[in-house]
Amino acid sequence: MKNFGRLASLFSLALMLEGMTSAPQVQAPRSFATSDVPGLFPSPGTETLPNGVVLASQGAQGTADTPIVSVNVFLPAGAAQQPVDRSGIAGLTAAVILGSRVDRDRTLSQVASDAGASLSYTIDPENTRFSIECKADDLPHLIAGLSSALKAPDASALPATRKVALQSAKDAISDPAMTVYAMIRQSEFAGTGYAKLDQGSPTALAAITSADVDSFAGQYRHGHGTVVAMTGDVTPADYDAIRNAFLGFAPDSAPRGAAPPKLRANELVAHRAVAAPWVAVGYSVPSQFSSDFPVMLVIEALLGRGGDVHSFSYGSDAQLPEGFVGGYYQYEAEPGMLIEFYNGADIFNELRTLNAGVSRLRSSTLPALLVSEAKLAAEGTFLTSVATLDDQSWLLGRSVLSPSGTAFENELPRKIAAVTPADIRRVAQKYLGTQLLALVSPNQVGP
Amino acid sequence: MMDRRRGVLAALFITGATLSAPALPSPALAATELAPGETVLSDGLTMEVRHSPGSGSVALEIWVRCPANGWTSAQPGIARLTALAAVDAKSGNTTLRDTVHARGGEVGVSIFQTATEFVVLSPADQAPVLEDALMRAVFRSTIDSAALDQARTRLAAEQAISAQSAAAVLRDKVFATIFTNGPLHDAPLGDAKLLQSASLTEVRDFAAHSYVPSASAVIALGNGDANALRAHIAAASPSEAGSTTLPGSAIGSVPSAPIALTNPDVDGPGVALGWAGPPISDRRAATAMDFLSDYLTDPKTGVFANAATSTTAGASIDGQYVTLEQSGLFFVSATGTGVDPATMEKSLRDALDQVVTRSISRGGFAAALSAYETRLLRQMDSPQGLADNYGWYFAMNAPSYAPSATDVSLSGEYFAAAASLTPDYVRDVAHRYLGVAPVVVTITPQKPSAAMLDGGGS
């Protein structure tokens, strides 16, 4: 999901603590269709190839209003699938794919730029995702190039991509918000490939060889777990090109990362040259395919959103979320993480307010009106996050990967609407009892 | 191409805003050829409502043709201050910003020299309610001192950020040099002086004078109920058309020497080149300039981008042809650590010479034209992208020429003009408009010298 930056808290915790003080008002009911009507998002067509690759196409074949097509390719090797001593290899491998020569001396990335297209990668917790947006006529050529690079990553691209990756890793280390985020990740996912930032550690990046890249790319090429989602003007030629490109994947499943240990109550401190302290408070919460996910989205709205799920994502087009404050719900990880970021001189008062608010969520049943307002905001945030063609194909791919299949995207708003005050208390009790606090302290010589 | 870049309540918005009789479609009031699907209501309000499936949102926009520096060109930034205040003004017990955020939407304003844009990104099912709220905030604004104070704070922050951007400072100076007066002369953000001087009365007067139906377009685009949205817009439209005439901006002579700016706060050194271009009425030439803009300034493949990074590794290119109702403006800037303005100027001009004097090969031209179309279409791959595009071309008084007024087969005026381009015609246009001496502005991140303070620099 992609949004504008969100910094303001919707429902102040002070309000939560004091109960509803504003006059009762009538909420406009949601107008989502009932279960016998398809819903807001068009129903996709899907096909499962013999090797397990799922192709999903939405809103195409005559319904498009632009000659542009968007494709998101979800490959079953993400940050969590990295060897623990090779953090950063997911990003490095994806970058090598984009830097592979596929058209005489032109790299895949250059071929896309030459066509005016976008071709990028994002490292998700459980996937590497390649996104393409181009004219429908150009897609077969670009998909053929991507397929070629996936089969044989071009080792000659490694030095240049490593240099860029090292700089990204160094930039992340010097950013206080990234530092507290890294501390939460390290503690919650210790012993797994997801423990380190997606940028990787400079030491590990320096040690990665082309054989490591080939090995990680090998994890891409498994049919089961691979999803190709298409939106926009998907022509028959486009569809056939995609089908042919992924028929060669192995008819089995990719190995998955080990389950992370339970979150330990902990406080971590680091020191950086920052003007004011930076704090992150993390909770281990439900992931996107949990039945508690809709309830957690409402709790997120109650606590006040800060950024979308990809705010800290690493990828070819990603930038550091400099100066990040507010809430961040990483629901693509397993388990999910809810992290509240604070900085400035008043952080300890804000932490007290957060703790009092969380305590209220866990110990009492919120007024129905307050819950109704939070649901309205949570549903709206979900809907407005699906704006571009790329958003649509990303959401379609996520739906295909979900246990409820392609109905996921239309079911989610209804499930949010069905959340009750009792649900919120139950889920808060289940997930918000243990917190991890990470602090970056200023003006000291740090580790 | 166009110039670019949380809570409670409800009952309040279900009522109200419908006190006057609904405005009716009245095509006869249309002064210019409209884009397909556009309507002009009886009060002069232009309306574009288009259903676009797939997304979860509806982009609700109001574009107003008005000068960013005030109706007497004496208040640079008044349009932005007023628009920000309108978003934070209380109607009943809430503001547009809070109403939108409570429903999970987003609200923003963009100010251009001759237009103000209000945008609400609404959850699809909340679009009618938020459309009412947006129209009330703009056409029945209730700006008070609290809203103005908030607007001052926001604008001050925006001005501070912009002042640190070498690219933004260079761009503003290019505009100020090519256009000697009127709205195009001044930066849309204005300056700190306005924050001190603008009174509540002046801001209210600006809103009353500017936010009138005859100068405005309401655009609703996305996965919403188009008929319901049309009905809400018609019902909420004011009955008084209002009347405004935008001041003009004269084109000045090109200074014989580069204009040297020094500023210790900017993020790096840089140089900008600028030229006046064809008006939007010259459709084919304006489209050729759009193509050239993409061909020259695209950050990955552009001729200027290649020249800039060859000269200084890591240099950033920012450039665009800004299509305007009168003469347009082409500008390009190269900024970044290590950029030597004089060396970079020469590199950019040498690179341009190749394009001005020689036609692009037929094969290369076809590929470049297709790539340009693709990049343009990608800018419009969302409800807001499409709505922004409709709005800009309304503001430039050329709605039927909007690239957004197209479909899967690339129908419409704009893409027809693009398809008519040839290598020789593009070279001719490049020669005519970019083959002349440009305005050159340089900037270095240092304190002005005594000589400059005495008048040696700008």
Side-chain angles (χ1 to χ4, degrees):
Chain A
M1 296 189 202
K2 295 183 181 105
N3 279 300
F4 306 146
R6 294 159 193 262
L7 299 176
S9 171
L10 173 55
F11 308 101
S12 77
L13 291 165
L15 178 64
M16 294 176 60
L17 290 166
E18 294 162 11
M20 277 301 294
T21 54
S22 58
Q25 296 173 344
V26 179
Q27 289 294 330
R30 286 277 166 181
S31 57
F32 293 114
T34 52
S35 58
D36 57 338
V37 182
L40 188 64
F41 302 107
S43 297
T46 62
E47 178 188 12
T48 303
L49 301 182
N51 59 4
V53 173
V54 180
L55 309 184
S57 180
Q58 183 180 62
Q61 285 89 33
T63 61
D65 57 1
T66 171
I68 294 293
V69 59
S70 171
V71 178
N72 262 281
V73 180
F74 293 72
L75 298 170
Q81 282 70 49
Q82 301 176 113
V84 291
D85 61 346
R86 289 290 183 268
S87 67
I89 194 169
L92 198 52
T93 303
V96 167
I97 297 292
L98 292 194
S100 294
R101 288 165 295 183
V102 296
D103 217 358
R104 293 185 297 275
D105 62 334
R106 305 294 284 168
T107 66
L108 180 58
S109 184
Q110 288 170 331
V111 169
S113 294
D114 290 347
S118 66
L119 203 168
S120 61
Y121 72 82
T122 305
I123 305 304
D124 293 332
E126 301 290 335
N127 303 98
T128 292
R129 185 159 44 83
F130 288 95
S131 308
I132 302 174
E133 191 168 286
C134 61
K135 266 187 190 162
D137 292 348
D138 292 327
L139 185 64
H141 186 57
L142 291 172
I143 281 292
L146 176 62
S147 175
S148 166
L150 289 175
K151 281 177 196 157
D154 186 347
S156 70
L158 183 56
T161 53
R162 191 201 310 272
K163 186 178 175 187
V164 174
L166 280 166
Q167 187 59 54
S168 296
K170 289 172 185 168
D171 290 344
I173 289 170
S174 64
D175 183 275
M178 291 298 287
T179 299
V180 287
Y181 175 58
M183 294 157 76
I184 300 275
R185 282 267 291 261
Q186 178 67 43
S187 180
E188 182 161 1
F189 294 93
T192 78
Y194 195 58
K196 297 283 176 67
L197 290 177
D198 299 341
Q199 285 83 354
S201 73
T203 306
L205 286 166
I208 289 170
T209 65
S210 59
D212 294 327
V213 169
D214 286 342
S215 175
F216 192 82
Q219 295 185 68
Y220 291 157
R221 300 188 293 266
H222 297 270
H224 293 274
T226 294
V227 172
V228 186
M230 306 161 246
T231 56
D233 184 30
V234 184
T235 66
D238 292 340
Y239 193 89
D240 288 347
I242 288 174
R243 199 173 188 283
N244 291 333
F246 291 94
L247 275 172
F249 275 29
D252 58 8
S253 300
R256 311 307 290 170
K262 294 284 186 190
L263 180 71
R264 297 162 296 178
N266 215 336
E267 293 187 2
L268 304 162
V269 179
H271 305 287
R272 291 289 186 276
V274 292
W278 216 289
V279 169
V281 182
Y283 301 90
S284 183
V285 295
S287 64
Q288 60 189 344
F289 301 143
S290 162
S291 59
D292 290 333
F293 178 54
V295 186
M296 200 65 219
L297 288 174
V298 179
I299 291 176
E300 182 196 20
L302 284 162
L303 293 175
R305 287 201 53 170
D308 68 47
V309 67
H310 293 140
S311 295
F312 286 80
S313 291
Y314 181 59
S316 50
D317 293 342
Q319 296 182 328
L320 286 181
E322 289 181 58
F324 189 97
V325 291
Y328 168 60
Y329 183 9
Q330 169 47 283
Y331 47 72
E332 293 179 331
E334 184 58 58
M337 291 181 291
L338 178 68
I339 309 177
E340 298 289 332
F341 291 81
Y342 303 95
N343 85 315
D346 202 34
I347 55 170
F348 295 106
N349 278 331
E350 293 182 279
L351 284 177
R352 275 192 285 274
T353 305
L354 172 67
N355 287 333
V358 168
S359 176
R360 180 158 187 244
L361 285 169
R362 301 180 70 237
S363 62
S364 60
T365 302
L366 295 179
L369 185 55
L370 181 58
V371 173
S372 175
E373 291 161 355
K375 292 193 304 189
L376 194 67
E379 292 170 43
T381 299
F382 167 68
L383 292 174
T384 54
S385 72
V386 189
T388 66
L389 274 180
D390 180 63
D391 295 336
Q392 293 170 39
S393 61
W394 170 78
L395 184 67
L396 176 58
R398 175 175 86 158
S399 297
V400 172
L401 288 166
S402 76
S404 47
T406 56
F408 180 89
E409 55 194 313
N410 278 317
E411 287 179 359
L412 186 56
R414 294 176 189 138
K415 288 179 176 174
I416 293 172
V419 170
T420 66
D423 290 332
I424 289 174
R425 186 176 182 183
R426 175 184 58 78
V427 168
Q429 287 178 339
K430 184 175 177 182
Y431 297 100
L432 303 185
T434 303
Q435 66 174 213
L436 180 65
L437 188 145
L439 166 69
V440 167
S441 177
N443 300 326
Q444 296 187 41
V445 178
Chain B
M1 223 349 250
M2 61 174 292
D3 187 13
R4 283 261 23 130
R5 48 231 174 292
R6 265 191 216 181
V8 205
L9 39 110
L12 174 65
F13 294 115
I14 295 170
T15 59
T18 57
L19 298 176
S20 58
L24 301 172
S26 175
L29 284 181
T32 54
E33 190 179 349
L34 300 173
E38 284 182 348
T39 306
V40 176
L41 304 181
S42 55
D43 60 2
L45 182 70
T46 297
M47 174 172 71
E48 169 74 41
V49 180
R50 178 172 155 186
H51 179 74
S52 180
S55 83
S57 60
V58 176
L60 307 169
E61 297 189 355
I62 295 178
W63 283 73
V64 185
R65 286 164 54 87
C66 60
N69 62 354
W71 290 97
T72 59
S73 297
Q75 295 174 292
I78 186 88
R80 186 155 191 89
L81 191 64
T82 305
L84 288 170
V87 170
D88 282 319
K90 283 213 168 184
S91 177
N93 63 351
T94 190
T95 67
L96 176 63
R97 188 183 304 278
D98 289 342
T99 304
V100 172
H101 286 176
R103 285 168 167 75
E106 298 286 351
V107 61
V109 298
S110 293
I111 308 298
F112 309 96
Q113 280 104 331
T114 58
T116 287
E117 174 196 13
F118 296 87
V119 56
V120 168
L121 187 61
S122 169
D125 64 324
Q126 298 294 308
V129 177
L130 294 184
E131 183 71 75
D132 290 348
L134 173 62
M135 291 197 63
R136 182 168 40 252
V138 175
F139 295 119
R140 294 175 174 79
S141 71
T142 53
I143 297 171
D144 56 17
S145 57
L148 182 55
D149 285 346
Q150 284 215 45
R152 286 187 210 277
T153 302
R154 289 180 187 276
L155 184 54
E158 292 169 353
Q159 288 175 346
I161 293 170
S162 179
Q164 294 171 10
S165 165
V169 172
L170 287 168
R171 176 192 163 113
D172 288 345
K173 190 63 180 177
V174 168
F175 266 89
T177 307
I178 288 182
F179 298 105
T180 58
N181 59 13
L184 294 169
H185 176 74
D186 291 312
L189 281 181
D191 52 37
K193 188 175 147 197
L194 176 89
L195 297 177
Q196 306 294 327
S197 64
S199 68
L200 180 59
T201 300
E202 287 171 325
V203 167
R204 284 175 169 168
D205 286 349
F206 183 82
H209 188 176
S210 304
Y211 305 165
V212 296
S214 63
S216 305
V218 179
I219 301 156
L221 207 152
N223 202 359
D225 182 333
N227 289 331
L229 284 165
R230 286 189 190 98
H232 276 257
I233 292 168
S237 187
S239 54
E240 297 287 329
S243 175
T244 61
T245 303
L246 272 173
S249 292
I251 293 181
S253 57
V254 175
S256 57
I259 299 169
L261 305 178
T262 56
N263 183 331
D265 300 323
V266 293
D267 51 12
V271 61
L273 311 178
W275 298 262
I280 204 166
S281 56
D282 189 352
R283 301 281 203 263
R284 194 176 182 216
T287 310
M289 291 295 282
D290 283 350
F291 166 78
L292 283 162
S293 172
D294 178 82
Y295 186 74
L296 293 168
T297 71
D298 178 73
K300 288 184 176 172
T301 64
V303 169
F304 283 146
N306 289 333
T309 53
S310 297
T311 305
T312 309
S316 295
I317 278 287
D318 181 32
Q320 193 173 36
Y321 181 62
V322 184
T323 310
L324 297 168
E325 187 170 1
Q326 302 302 323
S327 290
L329 183 149
F330 190 106
F331 78 94
V332 59
S333 68
T335 56
T337 304
V339 168
D340 175 67
T343 305
M344 185 61 78
E345 178 198 344
K346 183 174 186 315
S347 297
L348 297 178
R349 295 182 73 164
D350 287 349
L352 180 62
D353 278 347
Q354 304 297 311
V355 177
V356 168
T357 56
R358 240 183 286 165
S359 297
I360 307 169
S361 71
R362 291 212 167 270
F365 182 80
L369 185 61
S370 180
Y372 152 63
E373 289 176 345
T374 301
R375 279 188 277 267
L376 174 54
L377 289 163
R378 284 178 42 225
Q379 289 176 30
M380 303 185 293
D381 75 342
S382 68
Q384 190 179 344
L386 283 164
D388 286 352
N389 193 274
Y390 276 114
W392 177 263
Y393 285 88
F394 163 81
M396 294 305 123
N397 205 24
S400 63
Y401 177 60
S404 49
T406 190
D407 56 21
V408 73
S409 64
L410 291 183
S411 68
E413 260 185 44
Y414 188 92
F415 286 101
S420 79
L421 299 180
T422 64
D424 291 345
Y425 180 74
V426 168
R427 183 208 58 212
D428 289 348
V429 169
H431 186 265
R432 192 185 324 158
Y433 293 103
L434 306 180
V436 299
V439 166
V440 180
V441 185
T442 66
I443 192 164
T444 50
Q446 63 188 40
K447 291 180 180 175
S449 67
M452 286 174 169
L453 291 173
D454 289 342
S458 301

